[in-house]
Amino acid sequence: MTKNRRIATDIFNGLYGIEAIDKFIAIEFALTESLDEKENEIWLHLLVALSYMQRNGHSCLPLNVLAGCTWFSDPGLSDVVEDTDTKTLDEVKVGYRFCALTPLIGVVKKALLAPNISSLFVYSQGVFYSRRYFEFEQEVAGQLANRTRFVNLEEQALSQVKALWPAMFPTSMQAHQDWQQIAVAKSLVQHFSVINGGPGTGKTYTVLRLILALQAMDAGLNIVLAAPTGKAQQRMTESILSNIAGLRGKVDDTYLNRVPTTATTLHRLLGIREYTVATKYDQYNPLNLDVLIVDEASMVDLALMTRIMRALPDHARLYFIGDADQLPAVELGNVLEQLVGHSAHDAPHANLDEAKLGAVPTPLRQHIASLCPHLPLLPVDEDAKTWVHTLQAPQRFKGQIAKVATAIQKGEADAALANITPGVDELADSTTYVSVLQSGVTMRSEQDISKVQLQRMAKESYATVFAATTVDDALKRLNKVRWLTPIRNGSMGVEGLNTLIYDAIKHNIVRREGSFYQGQPIMITKNNHPQRLSNGEVGIIWPDSSGKLYAWFETQEGDLRHIALSRVPQYETVYAMTIHKSQGSEFDNVVLLLPKPESAKSASLFHRGLVYTGLTRAKKGCLIIADSPTFKDMVINLDTRYSGLANAISEKAMGLSEVSQ
């Protein structure tokens, strides 16, 4: 083993972009007996590659992406090669070229003959896994496959839903399909469904009507609402309450009053404890609920999904709500994208044959027709994936933002740029200014924006907060605008922008206490259950009626509560935030800063999901500050995470189908 540790250590000298954990895994699971020296070299590099991929959100490593390719080479290698200085060339990290696919598979299979290796790693159908994540995928797939089977409604339940339907949906004869109605009808006969759609496509509209229909089936159902973050939880509560108000007078209050209006975070629901993988609720102590509805499901990672499935009672229904084109979870896995499938990266149904749009198996078509005789019949496909419902026809999200967002979804960078209003000519006077608060989508070049202009934008964005007369008014003004960026460091990162904005508005500050000041926006960066604050929640520092400063936050009911400054948990000032942190939030106007990546490594992290998520936080207008090449590169670069979950679900579902036959 000593020799192998030395070999393992030596190989790192030529690899670019690896970290300590990659080195540890390679050294820890190096082999001496099962493999010869050349095979062991391949195996060590395979372990480094697997660790690297897991760090970057992939649950597995398809061996065909390695075969015959050079990995871990310095992006600046080509520049060095042109230099005749041999010493410099020797110092550069040249990476490692993997062998062809067949011998690569042979090395993995041979390594897995060792018991200590086979207990920790898995090879399956050309894909290399850590056993932990392989078993997570298999466990989730088995649970979901069981819940996606068609289950006919009892006659009484169907009759009760039919009676409620006209109060929820328009029932006049329609020439075009109503995908919201279709999604609800399909979800009633399956214990797992995904309702997928971009901003304004009516996800909350659909979810509320699904809840009402479920209650019509069984008034005693215990329905629980949850989301991955505190902010998403808050937004879910607000949306449900707003939509309930719109149904008053149309739907009997008996139904509306039973709708759950308080969401919780998934971590709190499951009883996930800090610094441990254990949960209060699991397969041995399941949750006490009949229906679980999870909003912002794109944030759910593979480990969290596994915990959800373990804690879910066998009879319970699970519904995922989200937008598969938004950013995936911070941790490993892209569960929602795997559930939705390839259509996640297209405009909804864009590439499907019209004749096959929304195709379903015969029993499901009959069920939908019984509930919705006023809608066109869906085409038949006995092998269709029935548990994914992609909503169309934006109800709120229209106009220029929708056009640009749709082009970004499809990876059409030129079309996105064509729909963006360009900023002033680059040769224009340097004092020329583009307002942050205009409607639509406007773009200015990063190089064309001076520090003076950014400061002017900062004043327009946030100086009005300090003119508020009440804390409620201050919070509303604060949440009208938010600056978003993909990075934390540098002048165009969160830290640099927050400093710039503070310098622009600091003369408005009238009251301070320690590091806090009146009008300061703060974001909680760590869950704190005693204070009922979750990571990502945004509040404001503002005085009470006596003039004493407090930290104020919105409650789930839309009210305000305050806590003493001494009890504020870990936080950061948040005029600007990362795009990741903004997920689940909405603002009237967004300033989206997309700086040119500093390196080839950072460029790979600038991708389509960041642009799409940042843009779609804006309800009215978005000012993009980016050079056209940077913007185009990001739109073209799709952040694909390798996973075997979709295939595993298909295989499990096929197995269940064969058993039932």
Side-chain angles (χ1 to χ4, degrees):
M1 184 63 76
T2 302
K3 178 185 176 183
N4 237 54
R5 289 180 182 272
R6 187 178 68 252
I7 295 172
T9 302
D10 289 344
I11 73 168
F12 304 140
N13 297 329
L15 305 184
Y16 177 87
I18 63 172
E19 296 186 2
I21 184 63
D22 310 324
K23 299 175 184 179
F24 171 79
I25 288 175
I27 293 172
E28 187 70 15
F29 303 108
L31 293 172
T32 54
E33 297 178 0
S34 300
L35 305 176
D36 62 31
E37 187 171 338
K38 180 61 179 175
E39 291 170 335
N40 202 38
E41 179 187 307
I42 297 171
W43 173 246
L44 288 168
H45 284 92
L46 271 168
L47 291 174
V48 171
L50 179 62
S51 177
Y52 170 85
M53 294 295 277
Q54 289 176 171
R55 280 196 298 107
N56 285 278
H58 306 269
S59 64
C60 61
L61 174 59
L63 295 183
N64 62 352
V65 306
L66 294 178
C69 298
T70 299
W71 277 46
F72 308 116
S73 60
D74 191 329
L77 180 60
S78 58
D79 299 328
V80 178
V81 170
E82 294 174 2
D83 195 329
T84 56
D85 187 347
T86 306
K87 183 179 178 182
T88 305
L89 183 59
D90 289 340
E91 292 174 351
V92 80
K93 297 182 183 296
V94 298
Y96 178 77
R97 185 173 181 82
F98 286 93
C99 59
L101 183 59
T102 299
L104 200 59
I105 293 172
V107 169
V108 173
K109 288 184 174 180
K110 192 173 179 181
L112 290 174
L113 295 174
N116 66 313
I117 299 299
S118 62
S119 65
L120 295 169
F121 300 98
V122 173
Y123 171 78
S124 176
Q125 302 180 42
V127 181
F128 186 39
Y129 285 90
S130 292
R131 181 167 290 280
R132 167 184 169 88
Y133 297 118
F134 175 78
E135 291 180 350
F136 278 179
E137 287 190 349
Q138 293 296 311
E139 187 175 346
V140 170
Q143 290 268 9
L144 292 183
N146 275 317
R147 286 182 163 83
T148 57
R149 289 179 291 177
F150 178 89
V151 180
N152 266 314
L153 297 186
E154 295 181 2
E155 193 60 40
Q156 183 178 351
L158 181 60
S159 176
Q160 290 166 178
V161 173
K162 283 182 176 180
L164 180 63
W165 207 265
M168 301 192 299
F169 295 110
T171 54
S172 57
M173 294 299 295
Q174 298 183 38
H176 301 286
Q177 201 56 266
D178 185 331
W179 297 107
Q180 284 78 22
Q181 293 195 50
I182 296 297
V184 174
K186 290 166 70 176
S187 297
L188 293 176
V189 291
Q190 292 178 305
H191 281 52
F192 173 72
S193 286
V194 176
I195 297 175
N196 175 61
T201 52
K203 293 192 295 292
T204 306
Y205 170 98
T206 306
V207 169
L208 175 56
R209 285 154 179 78
L210 172 59
I211 292 171
L212 292 169
L214 289 168
Q215 291 181 334
M217 289 166 49
D218 184 349
L221 287 176
N222 181 12
I223 301 173
V224 174
L225 310 178
T229 67
K231 187 60 183 176
Q233 158 205 351
Q234 188 178 356
R235 284 277 307 130
M236 188 182 194
T237 296
E238 292 168 355
S239 298
I240 290 289
L241 286 169
S242 174
N243 275 264
I244 287 175
L247 284 176
R248 294 289 182 190
K250 300 176 183 177
V251 174
D252 192 308
D253 282 352
T254 305
Y255 287 109
L256 295 176
N257 294 338
R258 289 202 302 260
V259 173
T261 57
T262 301
T264 184
T265 64
L266 285 168
H267 283 69
R268 186 172 296 179
L269 175 70
L270 296 171
I272 296 176
R273 302 176 179 90
E274 196 172 13
Y275 309 122
T276 179
V277 297
T279 61
K280 180 179 179 181
Y281 297 100
D282 54 22
Q283 63 268 47
Y284 308 109
N285 182 32
L287 293 163
N288 180 26
L289 53 78
D290 303 303
V291 180
L292 176 60
I293 300 175
V294 179
D295 199 16
E296 296 292 348
S298 62
M299 299 182 186
V300 176
D301 59 72
L302 180 59
L304 181 56
M305 184 67 177
T306 306
R307 289 168 172 170
I308 292 171
M309 302 311 305
R310 287 174 180 174
L312 210 61
D314 290 340
H315 74 278
R317 297 169 176 262
L318 174 64
Y319 299 113
F320 264 27
I321 319 300
D323 181 356
D325 288 303
Q326 286 193 34
L327 292 170
V330 175
E331 302 299 331
L332 179 146
N334 190 355
V335 173
L336 185 63
E337 192 272 341
Q338 284 288 299
L339 296 175
V340 170
H342 299 297
S343 62
H345 306 302
D346 303 314
H349 306 304
N351 299 322
L352 295 181
D353 185 342
E354 279 292 327
K356 298 180 180 178
L357 192 60
V360 292
T362 300
L364 191 50
R365 179 166 104 153
Q366 293 170 345
H367 161 74
I368 295 169
S370 72
L371 277 177
C372 310
H374 49 283
L375 298 181
L377 280 172
L378 291 172
V380 173
D381 180 353
E382 302 300 347
D383 298 320
K385 185 183 335 184
T386 60
W387 39 272
V388 175
H389 324 298
T390 297
L391 303 180
Q392 302 180 83
Q395 299 179 347
R396 165 185 63 79
F397 203 68
K398 299 178 181 178
Q400 193 178 10
I401 295 178
K403 289 180 180 178
V404 177
T406 299
I408 292 170
Q409 278 181 307
K410 299 163 84 172
E412 297 175 354
D414 289 332
L417 283 171
N419 282 292
I420 295 174
T421 303
V424 296
D425 191 89
E426 291 184 8
L427 299 177
D429 189 279
S430 61
T431 60
T432 303
Y433 174 73
V434 176
S435 172
V436 169
L437 301 177
Q438 59 185 307
S439 298
V441 187
T442 305
M443 178 180 263
R444 288 289 304 273
S445 168
E446 179 187 358
Q447 298 178 344
D448 198 33
I449 293 288
S450 67
K451 183 177 180 180
V452 171
Q453 289 176 318
L454 282 174
Q455 288 175 328
R456 185 174 172 184
M457 291 178 186
K459 291 176 182 177
E460 181 185 19
S461 299
Y462 296 112
T464 179
V465 174
F466 298 87
T469 56
T470 66
V471 62
D472 182 61
D473 186 30
L475 261 176
K476 287 179 179 175
R477 295 184 185 207
L478 173 65
N479 290 323
K480 282 184 178 289
V481 185
R482 194 59 43 89
W483 290 34
L484 306 178
T485 175
I487 58 177
R488 291 201 60 83
N489 302 320
S491 61
M492 296 286 274
V494 167
E495 294 174 2
L497 291 171
N498 276 318
T499 299
L500 179 144
I501 296 168
Y502 173 78
D503 288 341
I505 54 82
K506 63 185 179 183
H507 65 280
N508 294 285
I509 300 170
V510 297
R511 187 180 281 105
R512 295 179 181 269
E513 185 175 324
S515 60
F516 296 101
Y517 56 86
Q518 182 175 336
Q520 179 183 7
I522 62 170
M523 180 173 66
I524 304 304
T525 57
K526 188 176 181 180
N527 291 332
N528 188 292
H529 297 317
Q531 298 299 331
R532 293 177 290 141
L533 290 171
S534 299
N535 184 4
E537 283 195 63
V538 174
I540 194 167
I541 307 301
W542 202 261
D544 65 358
S545 57
S546 69
K548 184 175 176 59
L549 290 181
Y550 287 92
W552 297 80
F553 297 90
E554 288 185 74
T555 67
Q556 294 178 350
E557 294 75 28
D559 302 320
L560 293 176
R561 67 183 185 92
H562 64 274
I563 63 172
L565 298 185
S566 61
R567 303 186 70 182
V568 174
Q570 190 172 308
Y571 76 96
E572 61 184 36
T573 301
V574 66
Y575 296 106
M577 64 170 58
T578 62
I579 298 171
H580 279 90
K581 282 292 188 181
S582 75
Q583 200 161 350
S585 300
E586 289 181 335
F587 312 98
D588 286 349
N589 292 81
V590 164
V591 178
L592 181 59
L593 302 105
L594 305 174
K596 183 179 180 181
E598 294 182 351
S599 66
K601 182 181 180 182
S602 60
S604 66
L605 304 176
F606 281 38
H607 53 79
R608 187 184 308 173
L610 283 167
V611 189
Y612 175 82
T613 302
L615 172 67
T616 55
R617 298 313 88 203
K619 294 190 287 185
K620 294 181 179 179
C622 180
L623 170 60
I624 301 173
I625 299 176
D627 297 332
S628 292
T630 300
F631 178 85
K632 291 176 69 171
D633 287 346
M634 290 184 71
V635 173
I636 293 168
N637 182 22
L638 181 61
D639 180 30
T640 301
R641 292 191 179 182
Y642 294 116
S643 170
L645 180 59
N647 288 335
I649 294 172
S650 297
E651 290 173 1
K652 298 286 186 182
M654 188 178 297
L656 288 172
S657 175
E658 290 172 353
V659 169
S660 65
Q661 291 175 7

